[in-house]
Amino acid sequence: MSATPQKNRASRRVLAAAAGLVTVGALVAAMPAGAHDRGHGHGGGHGHGHKPRTVDVQLLSFNDLHGNLEPPAGSAGNVSKTHPDGTVESIPAGGVEYLATSLRTARKGNPYSVTAAGGDMVGASPLLSGLFHDEPTIEALNKLDLDVTAVGNHEFDEGATELARLQNGGCHPVEGCYEKGKKFKGADFPYLAANVTKEKTGKPLLKPYTVWKKKGVKIGFIGVTLEGTPDIVTANGVKGLKFHDEVETINKYARELDRKGVKSIVALIHEGGAPASTSYNYECDSPGAGDGISGPIVDIAKGITPKVDALVTGHTHQAYVCTVPDPSGKPRMVTSASSFGKLYTDTTLTYDRRTNDIVRTSVKSANHVVTRDQPKAPDMTRLIDRWNKLAAPIASKPQGWISADINGRGSTAPEKPLGNVIADAQLEGLAPADKGGAEVAFMNPGGIRADLVHKASGSEGDGVVTYGEAFTVQPFTNMMNVVDLTGAQLVTALQQQVSGPNEASPKILQVSRGLTYTLDLTKSGADRVVADTIKLNGEAIDPARTYRVAMNEFLAGGGDGFPALGQGTNKLVGASDLDLFNAYLAAHSTATAPLAPPATDRITVIQ
């Protein structure tokens, strides 16, 4: 999901050559040929010493983990399930201790099992992983036996050099090794980035594809991130890189794999869609194939060559298992497993040994909840405890107090209570003349990564907001900017929330106290922002007047589809967003007078 990208703190080391990355190693312990194979059609051959004609390959997949090693707190850690009677149940889910157990249980009795991911494994991570540049998450994914993942936009938050380090290993160029005598080994699975090339050479940044092999069964995986990655990552993160069309890239490498005799192909795509329901068990092939899903993935799926047998997707943090017709009109499986390790997808790919291809009519897929009522994986518990000990001195420091949950990520409303707190914190911190003289502040909704939860996450006590919890809400440590914008540019920026690249999926900015306007969702495009209702402190915005506007450096660069915000002049760089957030919590709350969730009355919404 689009978000404020992390400030690029990677050093300027030369990018390690990624072309020679190791392919996937051996997977599950060897089993007798044909063990547990299910014979279909001709040549079932059980009892005759022949291999069966077909074998079922289990594809387990997930996406958008974002370094959530511990179960996500509050509403961000729930998935919705709709029961036959129409009632909706909210199920607490996620946490790698449970994800590991779920995947290991699912693999039992499946000798041909491969695990793949759809990108954003790291980035925008809670403190436990983010503080250590996501080394703990890579370590956890190695233990999970992840075989392959696509890159997502967040893999670029700290730039190509840092992404190469996550793949190849080595201690952080600035902060060094975190544990005495231990060197970071890097990912033992390949990161695939087929549509990302180096501007200077035109060569792929990382491997475009990999081939998983087991006892004569071969499946090719092609990985891409969304072409629009540069629009949602800071300029430093994507410096020197070019991002190409997803469909053209996948089709190119599918032809290459086909020429090499790899006929079974899965595309891992860090781009997604929006199902008509947020319930993970929603039937999105009703009334017809793929009718219940919209968004960029639909056109992408319709354009990808029929040589590709299944699509594992991500980015939108939604749950769906749909069939979208390929260019020849045949249905093809398109899946996504929500986010934060709350779900995994189990897909059966029936592999025909004679044609070396997947029998597409036999492909079955379902999403499963990573419930928290199953045993924890002890190796993951040990991993979390080890890193928590290192993080504890910083993570446990109290920053403020709240009287109840203040929802951010978990709020589906255009105006989020936590968005108001963050925008107010930015305005307050940057309003003094010597700090920038800000009159209004804007916060992008994708940069709010969690809720502030009243229930204690550790031993700090209910209602206490720790540094770790504040970091989880704002993990990017983006520097704040204050710029000059005209009233006309301000109005245009607000209209860009619901027009241009944001028309299909609006990005409603969170606004500071004093800015009010009406959002009329019955209208279309820019007209959805009712221009003559926009007021600052009760006064209509004057198109000719200059206003001092605070925002993070990502928005100030025109990120998230807001080119008007990138036109600011007289820039002053202030403190980081996290520092301002923590300062606001300290100034506005005490143990006896905690901060209450603010009213959400700045944006009047007409549905």
Side-chain angles (χ1 to χ4, degrees), residues 189-522:
F189 50 89
Y191 260 113
L192 304 181
N195 66 331
V196 187
T197 57
K198 301 173 197 172
E199 273 176 358
K200 278 184 181 166
T201 63
K203 291 188 172 154
L205 173 72
L206 295 169
K207 289 178 54 159
Y209 60 79
T210 191
V211 181
W212 176 84
K213 297 173 185 169
K214 177 135 193 220
K215 290 189 206 148
V217 173
K218 290 189 293 190
I219 298 178
F221 288 90
I222 303 168
V224 298
T225 186
L226 71 156
E227 187 184 3
T229 292
D231 302 329
I232 52 176
V233 172
T234 47
N236 274 344
V238 293
K239 204 172 179 182
L241 302 177
K242 220 171 166 192
F243 291 76
H244 303 270
D245 181 82
E246 303 95 339
V247 175
E248 286 171 21
T249 304
I250 291 167
N251 290 352
K252 170 186 160 182
Y253 287 111
R255 285 193 298 273
E256 190 172 310
L257 282 165
D258 188 57
R259 281 198 302 272
K260 290 182 172 180
V262 179
K263 308 295 184 186
S264 300
I265 303 172
V266 174
L268 308 175
I269 307 172
H270 192 70
E271 178 60 290
S277 162
T278 54
S279 289
Y280 86 90
N281 61 335
Y282 167 65
E283 174 52 78
C284 77
D285 281 345
S286 174
D291 283 347
I293 188 168
S294 60
I297 201 62
V298 177
D299 286 339
I300 290 172
K302 286 177 177 173
I304 289 174
T305 171
K307 292 184 198 299
V308 174
D309 299 296
L311 276 54
V312 172
T313 73
H315 187 56
T316 57
H317 291 206
Q318 302 298 308
Y320 46 84
V321 172
C322 308
T323 54
V324 177
D326 70 13
S328 69
K330 291 186 179 140
R332 176 169 53 196
M333 196 60 79
V334 179
T335 68
S336 174
S338 183
S339 64
F340 301 169
K342 294 181 287 189
L343 297 177
Y344 71 93
T345 314
D346 190 335
T347 302
T348 302
L349 301 171
T350 301
Y351 185 91
D352 187 325
R353 290 182 188 274
R354 196 169 296 174
T355 63
N356 296 326
D357 206 350
I358 300 298
V359 184
R360 285 255 297 269
T361 50
S362 301
V363 176
K364 293 186 274 304
S365 199
N367 274 328
H368 301 278
V369 182
V370 176
T371 59
R372 298 183 199 166
D373 57 3
Q374 58 185 323
K376 294 178 178 183
D379 58 337
M380 292 299 178
T381 305
R382 288 193 295 274
L383 181 149
I384 288 169
D385 289 348
R386 208 179 87 235
W387 287 102
N388 261 331
K389 278 195 185 79
L390 288 173
I394 295 168
S396 57
K397 281 182 184 166
Q399 303 298 311
W401 291 263
I402 54 172
S403 64
D405 287 3
I406 305 180
N407 283 348
R409 196 75 184 177
S411 167
T412 54
E415 181 183 348
K416 306 171 192 309
L418 191 50
N420 287 357
V421 173
I422 291 169
D424 287 351
Q426 294 176 354
L427 177 62
E428 184 169 297
L430 300 171
D434 62 336
K435 298 282 194 285
E439 299 167 82
V440 62
F442 292 136
M443 173 65 192
N444 56 312
I448 306 167
R449 305 305 300 185
D451 302 333
L452 273 188
V453 180
H454 185 262
K455 188 174 176 2
S457 59
S459 58
E460 76 275 8
D462 290 352
V464 178
V465 180
T466 64
Y467 184 86
E469 290 163 342
F471 183 98
T472 299
V473 168
Q474 294 226 274
F476 300 107
T477 53
N478 256 320
M479 302 315 288
M480 292 299 301
N481 290 180
V482 186
V483 297
D484 282 352
L485 287 171
T486 64
Q489 288 169 324
L490 269 186
V491 172
T492 301
L494 291 173
Q495 290 171 332
Q496 285 168 350
Q497 300 176 111
V498 288
S499 63
N502 293 330
E503 179 155 9
S505 181
K507 291 195 178 82
I508 305 303
L509 295 165
Q510 306 299 289
V511 300
S512 56
R513 187 183 288 114
L515 188 79
T516 55
Y517 69 95
T518 297
L519 188 64
D520 187 347
L521 297 178
T522 65

